[in-house]
Coordinates of all heavy atoms in Angstrom, one line a residue:
M1 N -23.6 -12.9 10.1 CA -24.6 -12.2 10.8 C -24.8 -10.8 10.2 O -24.0 -10.4 9.3 CB -24.3 -12.1 12.3 CG -23.3 -11.0 12.6 SD -22.9 -10.9 14.4 CE -23.7 -9.4 14.8
K2 N -25.8 -10.1 10.6 CA -26.1 -8.8 10.1 C -25.3 -7.7 10.8 O -24.9 -7.9 12.0 CB -27.6 -8.4 10.3 CG -28.4 -9.1 9.3 CD -29.9 -8.8 9.5 CE -30.8 -9.4 8.5 NZ -32.2 -9.1 8.8
C3 N -25.0 -6.6 10.1 CA -24.3 -5.5 10.8 C -25.3 -4.9 11.8 O -26.5 -4.7 11.6 CB -24.0 -4.4 9.7 SG -23.4 -2.9 10.4
L4 N -24.7 -4.7 13.0 CA -25.6 -4.2 14.1 C -26.0 -2.8 13.9 O -27.0 -2.3 14.5 CB -24.8 -4.3 15.4 CG -24.5 -5.7 15.9 CD1 -23.3 -5.7 16.8 CD2 -25.7 -6.3 16.6
I5 N -25.3 -2.1 13.0 CA -25.7 -0.7 12.8 C -26.7 -0.5 11.7 O -27.7 0.2 11.9 CB -24.4 0.2 12.6 CG1 -23.4 0.0 13.8 CG2 -24.7 1.6 12.3 CD1 -22.1 0.6 13.6
C6 N -26.4 -1.1 10.5 CA -27.2 -0.8 9.4 C -28.0 -2.0 8.9 O -28.7 -1.9 7.9 CB -26.4 -0.2 8.2 SG -25.2 -1.4 7.5
Q7 N -27.8 -3.2 9.5 CA -28.5 -4.4 9.2 C -28.1 -5.0 7.8 O -28.7 -5.9 7.3 CB -30.0 -4.2 9.2 CG -30.6 -3.5 10.4 CD -30.3 -4.2 11.7 OE1 -30.3 -5.4 11.8 NE2 -29.9 -3.4 12.7
A8 N -27.0 -4.5 7.2 CA -26.5 -5.1 6.0 C -25.8 -6.4 6.3 O -25.4 -6.6 7.5 CB -25.6 -4.2 5.3
A9 N -25.7 -7.3 5.3 CA -25.0 -8.5 5.6 C -23.5 -8.2 5.9 O -22.9 -7.5 5.1 CB -25.1 -9.4 4.4
A10 N -23.0 -8.6 7.0 CA -21.7 -8.3 7.4 C -20.9 -9.5 7.9 O -21.6 -10.5 8.2 CB -21.7 -7.2 8.4
R11 N -19.6 -9.4 8.0 CA -18.8 -10.5 8.4 C -18.5 -10.3 9.9 O -17.9 -9.3 10.3 CB -17.6 -10.6 7.6 CG -16.8 -11.9 7.8 CD -16.0 -12.2 6.5 NE -14.9 -11.2 6.4 CZ -13.7 -11.4 6.9 NH1 -13.4 -12.5 7.6 NH2 -12.7 -10.5 6.8
T12 N -18.8 -11.3 10.7 CA -18.3 -11.2 12.1 C -17.0 -11.8 12.2 O -16.8 -13.0 11.9 CB -19.3 -12.0 13.0 OG1 -20.6 -11.4 12.8 CG2 -18.9 -11.8 14.5
V13 N -16.0 -11.0 12.6 CA -14.6 -11.5 12.6 C -14.4 -12.3 13.9 O -13.7 -13.3 13.9 CB -13.6 -10.3 12.6 CG1 -12.2 -10.7 12.6 CG2 -13.9 -9.5 11.3
H14 N -15.0 -11.8 14.9 CA -14.8 -12.4 16.3 C -16.0 -12.2 17.1 O -16.5 -11.1 17.2 CB -13.5 -11.7 16.8 CG -13.3 -12.0 18.3 ND1 -12.2 -12.7 18.7 CD2 -13.9 -11.7 19.4 CE1 -12.2 -12.8 20.0 NE2 -13.2 -12.2 20.5
A15 N -16.5 -13.2 17.8 CA -17.7 -13.0 18.6 C -17.6 -13.7 19.9 O -18.6 -14.1 20.5 CB -18.9 -13.5 17.8
L16 N -16.4 -13.9 20.4 CA -16.2 -14.5 21.7 C -15.8 -13.5 22.7 O -15.3 -12.4 22.4 CB -15.1 -15.6 21.6 CG -15.3 -16.8 20.7 CD1 -14.1 -17.6 20.5 CD2 -16.4 -17.6 21.3
G17 N -16.0 -13.8 24.0 CA -15.6 -12.9 25.0 C -16.4 -11.7 25.2 O -17.6 -11.8 25.1
D18 N -15.8 -10.6 25.5 CA -16.5 -9.4 25.9 C -17.0 -8.5 24.8 O -17.8 -7.6 25.0 CB -15.6 -8.5 26.7 CG -15.1 -9.2 28.0 OD1 -15.9 -10.1 28.4 OD2 -14.1 -8.8 28.6
W19 N -16.7 -8.8 23.5 CA -17.2 -8.0 22.4 C -17.3 -8.8 21.1 O -16.7 -9.9 21.0 CB -16.3 -6.8 22.2 CG -14.8 -7.0 22.4 CD1 -14.1 -6.8 23.6 CD2 -13.9 -7.6 21.5 NE1 -12.8 -7.1 23.4 CE2 -12.6 -7.6 22.2 CE3 -13.9 -8.0 20.2 CZ2 -11.5 -8.1 21.5 CZ3 -12.8 -8.5 19.6 CH2 -11.6 -8.5 20.2
S20 N -18.0 -8.3 20.2 CA -18.1 -8.8 18.8 C -17.4 -7.9 17.9 O -17.6 -6.7 18.0 CB -19.6 -8.9 18.4 OG -20.3 -9.9 19.2
E21 N -16.7 -8.4 17.0 CA -15.9 -7.6 16.0 C -16.6 -7.8 14.6 O -16.7 -9.0 14.2 CB -14.5 -8.0 16.0 CG -13.6 -7.2 15.1 CD -12.1 -7.5 15.2 OE1 -11.7 -8.0 16.3 OE2 -11.4 -7.3 14.3
V22 N -17.0 -6.7 14.0 CA -17.7 -6.8 12.8 C -17.1 -6.0 11.7 O -16.5 -4.9 11.9 CB -19.2 -6.3 13.0 CG1 -20.0 -6.3 11.7 CG2 -19.9 -7.1 14.0
K23 N -17.1 -6.6 10.4 CA -16.7 -5.8 9.3 C -17.9 -5.6 8.4 O -18.4 -6.6 7.8 CB -15.6 -6.6 8.5 CG -14.2 -6.3 8.9 CD -13.1 -7.0 8.1 CE -11.7 -6.7 8.5 NZ -10.7 -7.4 7.8
C24 N -18.3 -4.4 8.2 CA -19.5 -4.1 7.4 C -19.1 -3.5 6.1 O -18.4 -2.4 6.1 CB -20.4 -3.2 8.2 SG -21.8 -2.5 7.2
P25 N -19.4 -4.1 5.0 CA -19.1 -3.6 3.7 C -20.0 -2.4 3.2 O -19.7 -1.8 2.2 CB -19.2 -4.8 2.7 CG -20.3 -5.6 3.4 CD -20.2 -5.3 4.9
A26 N -21.0 -2.2 3.9 CA -22.0 -1.2 3.5 C -21.7 0.2 3.9 O -22.5 1.2 3.6 CB -23.4 -1.6 4.0
G27 N -20.6 0.4 4.7 CA -20.3 1.8 5.1 C -19.9 2.0 6.5 O -19.4 3.0 6.9
C28 N -20.2 1.0 7.3 CA -19.9 1.2 8.8 C -18.4 0.8 9.0 O -17.8 1.2 10.0 CB -20.8 0.3 9.6 SG -22.5 0.6 9.3
G29 N -17.9 -0.1 8.2 CA -16.5 -0.5 8.3 C -16.2 -1.5 9.4 O -17.1 -2.3 9.8
H30 N -15.0 -1.4 10.0 CA -14.6 -2.3 11.0 C -14.8 -1.8 12.4 O -14.3 -0.7 12.6 CB -13.1 -2.6 10.7 CG -12.5 -3.8 11.3 ND1 -11.2 -4.2 11.0 CD2 -13.0 -4.7 12.1 CE1 -11.0 -5.3 11.7 NE2 -12.1 -5.7 12.4
F31 N -15.5 -2.5 13.2 CA -15.7 -2.0 14.6 C -16.0 -3.1 15.5 O -16.2 -4.3 15.1 CB -16.9 -1.0 14.6 CG -18.2 -1.6 14.1 CD1 -19.1 -2.1 15.0 CD2 -18.5 -1.6 12.7 CE1 -20.3 -2.7 14.6 CE2 -19.7 -2.2 12.3 CZ -20.6 -2.8 13.2
R32 N -16.0 -2.8 16.8 CA -16.3 -3.8 17.8 C -17.5 -3.3 18.7 O -17.6 -2.1 18.9 CB -15.1 -4.0 18.7 CG -14.0 -4.8 18.0 CD -12.8 -4.9 18.9 NE -12.2 -3.7 19.2 CZ -11.4 -3.4 20.2 NH1 -11.1 -4.4 21.1 NH2 -10.8 -2.3 20.4
V33 N -18.3 -4.2 19.1 CA -19.4 -3.8 20.0 C -19.4 -4.7 21.2 O -19.2 -5.9 21.1 CB -20.8 -4.0 19.3 CG1 -22.0 -3.6 20.2 CG2 -20.8 -3.3 18.0
S34 N -19.5 -4.1 22.4 CA -19.5 -4.9 23.6 C -20.6 -5.9 23.7 O -21.7 -5.6 23.3 CB -19.5 -3.9 24.8 OG -20.8 -3.8 25.3
A35 N -20.2 -7.1 24.2 CA -21.2 -8.2 24.3 C -22.4 -7.8 25.1 O -23.6 -8.2 24.8 CB -20.5 -9.4 24.9
N36 N -22.2 -7.0 26.2 CA -23.3 -6.5 27.0 C -24.3 -5.7 26.2 O -25.5 -5.8 26.4 CB -22.8 -5.7 28.2 CG -22.2 -6.5 29.3 OD1 -22.4 -7.7 29.4 ND2 -21.4 -5.9 30.1
L37 N -23.7 -4.9 25.3 CA -24.6 -4.0 24.5 C -25.4 -4.8 23.5 O -26.6 -4.6 23.3 CB -23.7 -3.0 23.8 CG -24.4 -2.0 22.9 CD1 -25.6 -1.4 23.5 CD2 -23.5 -0.9 22.4
V38 N -24.7 -5.8 22.9 CA -25.4 -6.6 21.9 C -26.6 -7.3 22.6 O -27.7 -7.4 22.1 CB -24.5 -7.7 21.3 CG1 -25.2 -8.6 20.4 CG2 -23.4 -7.0 20.5
A39 N -26.4 -7.8 23.8 CA -27.4 -8.5 24.6 C -28.5 -7.6 24.9 O -29.7 -8.0 24.8 CB -26.8 -9.1 25.9
K40 N -28.2 -6.4 25.3 CA -29.2 -5.4 25.7 C -30.1 -5.0 24.5 O -31.3 -4.9 24.6 CB -28.5 -4.2 26.3 CG -29.4 -3.0 26.6 CD -28.5 -1.8 27.1 CE -28.9 -0.5 26.4 NZ -30.1 0.1 26.9
M41 N -29.4 -4.8 23.4 CA -30.1 -4.4 22.2 C -31.1 -5.5 21.7 O -32.2 -5.2 21.3 CB -29.2 -4.0 21.1 CG -28.4 -2.8 21.3 SD -27.2 -2.5 20.1 CE -28.2 -2.1 18.7
T42 N -30.6 -6.7 21.8 CA -31.4 -7.9 21.4 C -32.6 -8.0 22.3 O -33.8 -8.2 21.8 CB -30.6 -9.1 21.4 OG1 -29.4 -8.9 20.7 CG2 -31.3 -10.3 20.8
L43 N -32.4 -7.8 23.6 CA -33.5 -8.0 24.5 C -34.5 -6.9 24.4 O -35.7 -7.1 24.4 CB -32.8 -7.9 25.9 CG -33.7 -8.2 27.1 CD1 -33.9 -9.8 27.1 CD2 -33.1 -7.8 28.4
K44 N -34.1 -5.7 24.1 CA -35.0 -4.5 24.1 C -35.4 -4.2 22.7 O -36.2 -3.2 22.5 CB -34.4 -3.3 24.7 CG -34.1 -3.5 26.2 CD -33.7 -2.1 26.8 CE -33.7 -2.2 28.3 NZ -33.5 -0.9 28.9
H45 N -34.9 -4.9 21.7 CA -35.2 -4.6 20.3 C -34.9 -3.1 19.9 O -35.6 -2.4 19.3 CB -36.7 -4.9 20.0 CG -37.1 -6.3 20.2 ND1 -36.7 -7.3 19.4 CD2 -37.8 -6.9 21.2 CE1 -37.1 -8.5 19.9 NE2 -37.8 -8.2 21.0
E46 N -33.7 -2.7 20.4 CA -33.3 -1.3 20.1 C -32.3 -1.4 18.9 O -31.9 -2.4 18.5 CB -32.5 -0.8 21.3 CG -33.5 -0.5 22.5 CD -32.7 0.0 23.7 OE1 -31.5 -0.1 23.7 OE2 -33.3 0.4 24.7
S47 N -32.0 -0.2 18.4 CA -31.1 -0.2 17.3 C -30.2 1.1 17.4 O -30.5 2.0 18.1 CB -31.9 -0.2 16.0 OG -32.7 0.9 15.9
F48 N -29.2 1.1 16.6 CA -28.3 2.2 16.5 C -28.9 3.3 15.6 O -29.6 3.0 14.7 CB -26.9 1.8 15.9 CG -26.0 1.1 16.8 CD1 -25.8 -0.2 16.7 CD2 -25.3 1.8 17.8 CE1 -24.9 -0.9 17.5 CE2 -24.5 1.2 18.6 CZ -24.2 -0.2 18.5
D49 N -28.6 4.6 15.9 CA -28.9 5.6 15.0 C -27.8 5.6 14.0 O -26.6 5.9 14.2 CB -28.8 7.0 15.8 CG -29.3 8.1 14.9 OD1 -28.6 8.4 13.9 OD2 -30.4 8.7 15.2
L50 N -28.1 5.2 12.7 CA -27.2 4.9 11.7 C -26.2 6.1 11.4 O -25.0 5.9 11.5 CB -27.9 4.6 10.4 CG -27.1 4.3 9.2 CD1 -26.2 3.2 9.3 CD2 -28.0 4.1 8.0
E51 N -26.8 7.3 11.2 CA -26.0 8.4 10.9 C -25.0 8.8 12.0 O -23.8 9.0 11.8 CB -26.9 9.6 10.6 CG -26.4 10.5 9.5 CD -27.5 11.5 9.2 OE1 -28.5 11.1 8.6 OE2 -27.3 12.7 9.6
R52 N -25.5 8.9 13.2 CA -24.7 9.3 14.4 C -23.6 8.3 14.7 O -22.5 8.6 15.0 CB -25.6 9.5 15.6 CG -26.1 11.0 15.6 CD -26.9 11.2 16.9 NE -28.1 10.5 16.9 CZ -28.9 10.3 18.0 NH1 -28.5 10.8 19.1 NH2 -30.0 9.7 17.9
T53 N -24.0 7.0 14.5 CA -23.0 5.9 14.9 C -21.9 5.9 13.9 O -20.7 5.8 14.3 CB -23.7 4.6 14.9 OG1 -24.8 4.6 15.8 CG2 -22.7 3.5 15.3
R54 N -22.2 6.1 12.6 CA -21.1 6.1 11.6 C -20.2 7.3 11.8 O -19.0 7.3 11.6 CB -21.7 6.2 10.2 CG -22.2 4.8 9.8 CD -22.7 4.8 8.4 NE -23.1 3.5 7.9 CZ -23.7 3.2 6.8 NH1 -23.9 4.2 5.9 NH2 -24.0 2.0 6.4
R55 N -20.8 8.5 12.2 CA -20.0 9.7 12.5 C -19.1 9.4 13.7 O -17.9 9.8 13.7 CB -20.9 10.9 12.7 CG -20.4 12.2 12.1 CD -21.3 13.3 12.4 NE -22.7 13.1 11.9 CZ -23.8 13.5 12.5 NH1 -23.7 14.2 13.6 NH2 -25.0 13.3 12.0
W56 N -19.7 8.8 14.7 CA -18.9 8.5 15.9 C -17.8 7.6 15.6 O -16.6 7.8 16.1 CB -19.9 7.8 16.9 CG -19.3 7.6 18.3 CD1 -19.3 8.4 19.3 CD2 -18.6 6.4 18.7 NE1 -18.6 7.8 20.4 CE2 -18.2 6.6 20.0 CE3 -18.2 5.2 18.0 CZ2 -17.5 5.6 20.7 CZ3 -17.5 4.2 18.7 CH2 -17.1 4.4 20.0
L57 N -18.0 6.6 14.8 CA -16.9 5.6 14.4 C -15.8 6.3 13.7 O -14.6 6.1 13.9 CB -17.5 4.5 13.5 CG -18.3 3.4 14.2 CD1 -19.0 2.5 13.2 CD2 -17.4 2.6 15.1
E58 N -16.2 7.2 12.8 CA -15.2 8.0 12.0 C -14.2 8.8 13.0 O -13.0 8.8 12.8 CB -15.9 9.0 11.1 CG -15.5 8.9 9.7 CD -16.5 9.7 8.8 OE1 -16.3 10.9 8.8 OE2 -17.4 9.1 8.3
M59 N -14.8 9.4 14.0 CA -14.0 10.2 14.9 C -13.2 9.2 15.8 O -12.1 9.5 16.1 CB -15.0 11.0 15.8 CG -15.6 12.2 15.1 SD -16.4 13.4 16.2 CE -17.3 12.3 17.3
A60 N -13.8 8.2 16.2 CA -13.1 7.2 17.1 C -11.9 6.6 16.4 O -10.9 6.2 17.1 CB -14.1 6.1 17.6
R61 N -12.0 6.5 15.1 CA -10.9 5.8 14.4 C -9.6 6.7 14.4 O -8.5 6.2 14.1 CB -11.3 5.5 12.9 CG -12.2 4.3 12.9 CD -12.3 3.7 11.5 NE -13.2 2.6 11.5 CZ -14.5 2.7 11.2 NH1 -15.0 3.8 10.6 NH2 -15.3 1.7 11.3
N62 N -9.7 7.9 14.8 CA -8.5 8.7 14.9 C -7.6 8.2 16.0 O -6.4 8.3 16.0 CB -8.9 10.2 15.2 CG -9.5 10.9 14.1 OD1 -9.2 10.6 12.9 ND2 -10.4 11.8 14.3
D63 N -8.3 7.6 17.1 CA -7.5 7.1 18.2 C -7.3 5.6 18.1 O -6.3 5.0 18.6 CB -8.3 7.4 19.5 CG -8.4 8.9 19.7 OD1 -7.5 9.6 19.4 OD2 -9.5 9.3 20.2
E64 N -8.3 4.9 17.5 CA -8.3 3.4 17.6 C -8.8 2.9 16.2 O -9.9 3.2 15.9 CB -9.2 3.1 18.7 CG -9.7 1.6 18.7 CD -8.6 0.6 19.0 OE1 -8.1 0.7 20.1 OE2 -8.4 -0.2 18.1
P65 N -8.0 2.1 15.5 CA -8.4 1.7 14.2 C -9.7 0.8 14.2 O -10.5 0.9 13.2 CB -7.3 0.8 13.7 CG -6.2 1.0 14.7 CD -6.7 1.7 15.9
V66 N -9.9 0.1 15.2 CA -11.1 -0.7 15.4 C -11.9 -0.3 16.6 O -11.7 -0.9 17.7 CB -10.8 -2.2 15.4 CG1 -12.1 -3.1 15.3 CG2 -9.9 -2.6 14.2
P67 N -12.7 0.7 16.6 CA -13.3 1.3 17.8 C -14.2 0.3 18.4 O -14.9 -0.5 17.8 CB -14.1 2.5 17.3 CG -13.6 2.8 15.9 CD -13.1 1.5 15.4
L68 N -14.3 0.3 19.8 CA -15.2 -0.5 20.5 C -16.3 0.4 21.0 O -16.1 1.3 21.7 CB -14.4 -1.1 21.7 CG -15.3 -1.9 22.7 CD1 -15.9 -3.1 22.1 CD2 -14.5 -2.3 24.0
I69 N -17.5 0.0 20.6 CA -18.7 0.7 21.0 C -19.2 0.1 22.4 O -19.6 -1.0 22.4 CB -19.8 0.7 20.0 CG1 -19.3 1.2 18.6 CG2 -21.1 1.5 20.4 CD1 -20.3 1.0 17.5
S70 N -19.1 0.9 23.4 CA -19.6 0.4 24.7 C -21.0 0.8 25.0 O -21.6 1.6 24.3 CB -18.7 1.0 25.8 OG -19.0 2.4 25.9
T71 N -21.6 0.2 26.0 CA -22.9 0.5 26.4 C -23.1 2.0 26.8 O -24.1 2.6 26.4 CB -23.4 -0.4 27.6 OG1 -23.1 -1.7 27.3 CG2 -24.8 -0.2 27.9
Y72 N -22.0 2.5 27.4 CA -22.0 3.9 27.7 C -22.1 4.8 26.5 O -23.0 5.7 26.4 CB -20.7 4.2 28.5 CG -20.6 5.7 28.8 CD1 -21.3 6.3 29.9 CD2 -19.8 6.5 28.0 CE1 -21.1 7.6 30.2 CE2 -19.7 7.9 28.3 CZ -20.4 8.4 29.4 OH -20.3 9.7 29.6
D73 N -21.3 4.6 25.5 CA -21.3 5.4 24.3 C -22.7 5.3 23.6 O -23.3 6.3 23.1 CB -20.3 4.9 23.3 CG -18.9 5.1 23.8 OD1 -18.6 6.2 24.3 OD2 -18.1 4.2 23.7
Y74 N -23.2 4.1 23.6 CA -24.5 3.8 23.0 C -25.6 4.6 23.7 O -26.4 5.4 23.1 CB -24.8 2.3 23.1 CG -26.2 1.9 22.6 CD1 -26.5 1.8 21.3 CD2 -27.2 1.6 23.5 CE1 -27.7 1.4 20.8 CE2 -28.4 1.2 23.1 CZ -28.7 1.1 21.7 OH -29.9 0.7 21.3
N75 N -25.7 4.5 25.1 CA -26.7 5.2 25.8 C -26.6 6.8 25.7 O -27.6 7.5 25.6 CB -26.6 4.9 27.3 CG -27.2 3.5 27.6 OD1 -28.0 3.0 26.8 ND2 -26.7 2.9 28.6
V76 N -25.4 7.3 25.6 CA -25.2 8.7 25.6 C -25.5 9.3 24.2 O -26.1 10.3 24.1 CB -23.7 9.0 26.0 CG1 -23.4 10.5 25.7 CG2 -23.5 8.7 27.5
S77 N -25.0 8.6 23.2 CA -25.1 9.3 21.9 C -25.6 8.5 20.7 O -25.9 9.0 19.6 CB -23.8 10.0 21.5 OG -22.8 9.1 21.7
L78 N -25.6 7.2 20.8 CA -25.8 6.4 19.6 C -27.2 5.6 19.5 O -27.5 5.1 18.5 CB -24.7 5.3 19.5 CG -23.3 5.9 19.5 CD1 -22.3 4.8 19.4 CD2 -23.1 6.9 18.4
L79 N -27.9 5.6 20.6 CA -29.2 4.9 20.6 C -30.2 5.6 19.7 O -30.3 6.8 19.7 CB -29.7 4.9 22.1 CG -31.2 4.5 22.3 CD1 -31.4 3.1 21.9 CD2 -31.6 4.7 23.7
H80 N -30.8 4.8 18.9 CA -31.8 5.4 18.0 C -33.1 5.7 18.7 O -33.7 4.9 19.4 CB -32.1 4.4 16.8 CG -33.2 4.9 15.9 ND1 -33.0 5.8 15.0 CD2 -34.5 4.6 15.9 CE1 -34.1 6.1 14.3 NE2 -35.1 5.4 14.9
R81 N -33.5 7.0 18.7 CA -34.7 7.4 19.3 C -35.6 7.9 18.2 O -35.2 8.7 17.3 CB -34.5 8.5 20.3 CG -33.6 8.1 21.5 CD -33.5 9.3 22.4 NE -32.8 8.8 23.7 CZ -31.5 8.8 23.9 NH1 -30.7 9.2 22.9 NH2 -31.0 8.4 25.0
D82 N -36.9 7.5 18.2 CA -37.8 8.0 17.1 C -38.2 9.4 17.4 O -38.0 10.0 18.5 CB -39.0 7.1 16.9 CG -39.8 6.9 18.2 OD1 -39.9 7.9 18.9 OD2 -40.3 5.8 18.4
A83 N -38.7 10.1 16.4 CA -39.0 11.5 16.5 C -39.9 11.9 17.6 O -39.8 12.9 18.2 CB -39.6 12.0 15.1
E84 N -40.9 11.0 17.9 CA -41.9 11.3 18.9 C -41.2 11.4 20.3 O -41.4 12.4 21.0 CB -42.8 10.1 19.0 CG -44.3 10.4 18.8 CD -45.1 9.2 18.8 OE1 -45.5 8.7 19.9 OE2 -45.3 8.6 17.7
E85 N -40.3 10.5 20.6 CA -39.6 10.5 21.8 C -38.7 11.8 21.9 O -38.5 12.4 23.0 CB -38.7 9.3 21.9 CG -39.0 8.3 23.0 CD -38.1 7.2 23.0 OE1 -38.3 6.2 22.2 OE2 -37.1 7.2 23.8
R86 N -38.1 12.1 20.8 CA -37.2 13.2 20.8 C -37.9 14.6 21.2 O -37.4 15.3 22.0 CB -36.5 13.3 19.4 CG -35.2 14.1 19.5 CD -34.5 14.1 18.1 NE -34.1 12.7 17.7 CZ -34.0 12.4 16.4 NH1 -34.2 13.2 15.4 NH2 -33.6 11.2 16.1
T87 N -39.0 14.8 20.5 CA -39.7 16.1 20.8 C -40.3 16.1 22.2 O -40.3 17.1 22.9 CB -40.8 16.3 19.8 OG1 -41.6 15.1 19.7 CG2 -40.3 16.7 18.4
A88 N -40.7 14.9 22.7 CA -41.2 14.9 24.1 C -40.2 15.1 25.1 O -40.4 15.7 26.1 CB -41.9 13.5 24.3
G89 N -39.0 14.6 24.8 CA -37.9 14.7 25.8 C -37.2 16.1 25.9 O -36.7 16.4 26.9
L90 N -37.3 16.8 24.8 CA -36.6 18.1 24.8 C -37.6 19.2 24.4 O -37.8 19.6 23.3 CB -35.5 18.1 23.7 CG -34.4 17.1 23.8 CD1 -33.6 17.0 22.5 CD2 -33.5 17.4 25.0
P91 N -38.2 19.8 25.5 CA -39.3 20.8 25.2 C -38.8 22.1 24.6 O -39.3 22.5 23.6 CB -39.9 21.0 26.6 CG -38.8 20.5 27.6 CD -38.0 19.5 26.9
N92 N -37.8 22.8 25.2 CA -37.4 24.1 24.7 C -36.2 24.1 23.8 O -36.0 24.8 22.9 CB -37.2 25.0 25.9 CG -38.5 25.3 26.6 OD1 -39.5 25.4 25.9 ND2 -38.5 25.4 27.9
R93 N -35.2 23.2 24.2 CA -33.9 23.2 23.6 C -34.0 22.8 22.1 O -33.2 23.3 21.3 CB -33.0 22.3 24.3 CG -32.0 23.0 25.2 CD -31.0 22.1 25.8 NE -30.8 22.4 27.2 CZ -30.0 21.7 28.0 NH1 -29.5 20.6 27.6 NH2 -29.8 22.1 29.3
S94 N -35.0 21.9 21.8 CA -35.0 21.5 20.4 C -35.3 22.7 19.5 O -34.7 22.7 18.4 CB -36.1 20.4 20.3 OG -37.3 21.0 20.6
R95 N -36.1 23.6 19.9 CA -36.4 24.8 19.1 C -35.1 25.6 18.8 O -34.8 26.1 17.7 CB -37.5 25.6 19.7 CG -38.1 26.5 18.7 CD -39.2 27.4 19.3 NE -40.3 26.6 19.9 CZ -41.0 27.0 20.9 NH1 -40.9 28.2 21.4 NH2 -42.0 26.3 21.4
Q96 N -34.3 25.8 19.9 CA -33.1 26.6 19.8 C -32.1 25.9 18.8 O -31.6 26.6 18.0 CB -32.4 26.6 21.2 CG -33.0 27.7 22.1 CD -32.3 27.7 23.4 OE1 -31.4 26.9 23.7 NE2 -32.7 28.6 24.3
S97 N -32.0 24.6 18.9 CA -31.0 24.0 18.1 C -31.4 24.0 16.6 O -30.6 24.1 15.7 CB -30.7 22.5 18.5 OG -31.9 21.8 18.3
V98 N -32.7 24.0 16.3 CA -33.2 24.1 15.0 C -32.8 25.5 14.4 O -32.3 25.6 13.3 CB -34.7 23.9 14.9 CG1 -35.2 24.3 13.5 CG2 -35.0 22.4 15.2
T99 N -33.1 26.6 15.2 CA -32.8 27.9 14.6 C -31.4 28.2 14.5 O -30.9 28.9 13.6 CB -33.5 29.0 15.6 OG1 -33.1 28.7 16.9 CG2 -35.0 29.0 15.5
S100 N -30.5 27.6 15.4 CA -29.1 27.8 15.3 C -28.5 27.1 14.1 O -27.4 27.4 13.6 CB -28.4 27.5 16.6 OG -28.4 26.1 16.7
D101 N -29.2 26.1 13.6 CA -28.7 25.4 12.4 C -28.9 26.3 11.2 O -28.5 26.2 10.1 CB -29.4 24.1 12.1 CG -28.8 23.1 13.1 OD1 -27.8 23.3 13.7 OD2 -29.5 22.0 13.3
Ligands
LIG1 ZN1 -23.2 -1.5 8.6

């Protein structure tokens, strides 16, 4: 199957039960995604934000060699939002964060 994060050809190590375990050779590495989240993404045709998700996985690997991405993590920080949605959702703060960079 394809990598859920970057869509590269990846190997699914385990896809039974509550999560899918994927090994992506394109840069995402070894991770797990909750089955609920996979179902939700498929249903809504949503996708991960590639850059943010890989950064998140890197940090999560400090605690857990094969991080599990839950629906919660996805909704809070990993869901890909297009630019239109982002500017509409953050009226004033977006300007601040741009200048502070
Ligand atoms: Zn990948």
Side-chain angles (χ1 to χ4, degrees):
M1 80 179 251
K2 284 179 179 176
C3 172
L4 293 156
I5 298 170
C6 70
Q7 313 300 320
R11 193 155 69 89
T12 305
V13 181
H14 171 110
L16 294 171
D18 295 338
W19 37 264
S20 295
E21 186 174 333
V22 177
K23 268 186 182 173
C24 170
C28 310
H30 197 176
F31 61 92
R32 291 177 291 161
V33 182
S34 97
N36 283 341
L37 178 51
V38 176
K40 172 182 136 74
M41 289 175 70
T42 309
L43 191 72
K44 296 192 168 187
H45 301 287
E46 291 176 349
S47 59
F48 282 107
D49 186 295
L50 177 61
E51 216 173 288
R52 272 185 290 166
T53 305
R54 285 183 176 178
R55 219 181 302 144
W56 185 91
L57 284 170
E58 238 169 78
M59 290 193 312
R61 283 197 183 99
N62 293 327
D63 300 323
E64 162 69 61
V66 187
L68 172 65
I69 304 173
S70 69
T71 309
Y72 175 81
D73 295 315
Y74 175 76
N75 285 335
V76 168
S77 49
L78 306 177
L79 168 64
H80 177 78
R81 296 180 171 90
D82 57 36
E84 238 174 87
E85 244 180 278
R86 202 177 294 156
T87 46
L90 301 167
N92 293 323
R93 258 185 219 173
S94 58
R95 200 181 299 157
Q96 278 179 0
S97 68
V98 167
T99 50
S100 69
D101 284 345

